[in-house]
Amino acid sequence: MAELRAFAGPIDLHTHSAVSDGTETPGDLVRSAARSGLGTVALTDHDTTAGWGDGASAARDASVTFIGGMELSTRMGHASVHMLGYLFDPADAALAAETERIRRARRERAQAMVEIIGRDYDLSWDDVLAQTIEGGTVGRPHIADALVARGHAPDRSAAFAGILHWRSGYYVPHYAPDPLTGVRLIRAAGGVPVLAHPATGPLERIVPEATLARLVDAGLFGLEIEHRLNTPAGKERLRELAARFGLAVTGSSDYHGQGKPNLLGENTTVPAVLERIIAEATGSAPIYA
Ligand code: AMP
Ligand code: FE
Ligand code: FE
Ligand code: ZN
């Protein structure tokens, strides 16, 4: 069991840096978290831990505790399911191999989308690359930024509502493992898995109980209920599910810098839940403020 200390200040367990689709470097994100008055911040870039080093060293200088995390892309049929993982071993071979596979698939998929979009709009792969950092995880947000830079959309949200929408005719899916594999990979790497924003659509799209039961058996720790995209009815349903399955409840901002309106600390997680995450994690430890 890792060293456990008391937590002062609000806890935000879901943020993105420019290593995936946020807009700040991990270090700047940690400094923003300190300035916003957070006591603890988890960096959860999509499918990569490349920002942990910069985030952790910034946390040593700022008065904020740093939790290494990731938002793993998984897929159930056509539905994209995001699995947060905390304090796993970033060098775990199986998890690293899987995230590398996902990042490669994301890049090929983005290239395929740009190819199709490029038939109707002036847009090149170099335009998209200009919006990413070397080795970062490429996603639709970077294509959105490139479309904005070319004047084809006023902002990211408009690009998502139009050209990048899954019904637009320009959408291409990418490989991702199923959620059960995601939970197993995170646990096998010594981490703690939490299902991200599980109720963003209609109630019937919430993960079915039988599926949830299998995820719990495999080691699912919690549900991210306090998130701006979960619907009010969805949150109510998730609270029932959390009680029935003995799952922890988290809340977080899903901050993306300037890439989304979400503000650091707009939802938070209670210290007792973070303490349990740290107690269960065997892959890595927090960097304490
Ligand atoms: P992808 O995983 O590449 O298909 O892109 C999905 C990502 O785009 C999600 O992780 C969100 O962070 C981001 N996203 C989705 N909708 C929007 C939006 N309306 N505005 C900005 N970012 C968005
Ligand atoms: Fe994102
Ligand atoms: Fe997500
Ligand atoms: Zn996220």
Side-chain angles (χ1 to χ4, degrees):
M1 190 174 117
E3 180 194 11
L4 191 56
R5 301 194 200 165
F7 291 96
I11 297 162
D12 189 340
L13 294 182
H14 185 166
T15 70
H16 297 264
S17 76
V19 167
S20 64
D21 55 354
T23 56
E24 294 168 322
T25 66
D28 285 342
L29 184 153
V30 164
R31 285 182 282 275
S32 294
R35 261 200 313 278
S36 308
L38 288 180
T40 301
V41 67
L43 179 66
T44 54
D45 277 310
H46 298 282
D47 309 307
T48 180
T49 60
W52 283 23
D54 182 26
S57 58
R60 286 190 190 93
D61 298 325
S63 49
V64 64
T65 291
F66 179 84
I67 304 288
M70 179 165 73
E71 187 172 18
L72 182 68
S73 301
T74 75
R75 211 135 81 87
M76 235 172 26
H78 289 297
S80 156
V81 173
H82 286 174
M83 191 67 66
L84 293 159
Y86 298 109
L87 298 176
F88 52 86
D89 175 2
D92 178 83
L95 186 56
E98 188 64 11
T99 53
E100 194 188 325
R101 182 179 175 191
I102 298 168
R103 290 196 306 273
R104 199 181 329 117
R106 280 177 156 287
R107 180 173 278 259
E108 288 164 7
R109 169 269 201 145
Q111 281 171 320
M113 285 185 69
V114 168
E115 163 85 36
I116 308 170
I117 294 169
R119 293 172 196 159
D120 296 332
Y121 297 87
D122 180 21
L123 184 77
S124 71
W125 180 239
D126 280 342
D127 294 333
V128 176
L129 283 185
Q131 303 296 332
T132 66
I133 64 166
E134 182 85 35
T137 303
V138 183
R140 277 183 293 161
H142 305 101
I143 306 177
D145 292 346
L147 287 166
V148 172
R150 280 279 177 201
H152 302 312
D155 54 35
R156 266 193 192 184
S157 293
F160 268 91
I163 299 170
L164 298 177
H165 195 274
W166 62 273
R167 277 189 300 227
S168 67
Y170 301 113
Y171 185 86
V172 177
H174 66 79
Y175 164 80
D178 61 58
L180 189 58
T181 302
V183 167
R184 288 179 177 148
L185 282 168
I186 291 166
R187 278 290 181 185
V192 179
V194 170
L195 197 53
H197 45 72
T200 60
L203 279 183
E204 58 272 18
R205 289 238 305 271
I206 294 177
V207 54
E209 266 187 64
T211 308
L212 189 59
R214 281 195 292 277
L215 297 182
V216 172
D217 283 346
L220 183 68
F221 171 81
L223 301 176
E224 184 187 54
I225 299 185
E226 298 307 323
H227 182 290
R228 68 156 68 201
L229 292 184
N230 288 329
T231 64
K235 288 182 185 180
E236 212 169 295
R237 171 81 182 130
L238 291 173
R239 285 191 202 98
E240 285 168 18
L241 290 170
R244 180 155 336 141
F245 288 97
L247 290 164
V249 172
T250 70
S252 27
S253 65
D254 206 354
Y255 176 74
H256 281 68
Q258 301 301 306
K260 277 189 179 184
N262 310 33
L263 299 174
L264 283 165
E266 68 176 29
N267 290 294
T268 58
T269 298
V270 299
V273 167
L274 177 58
E275 284 162 13
R276 284 177 53 207
I277 290 174
I278 294 166
E280 286 195 16
T282 56
S284 56
I287 306 297
Y288 285 102

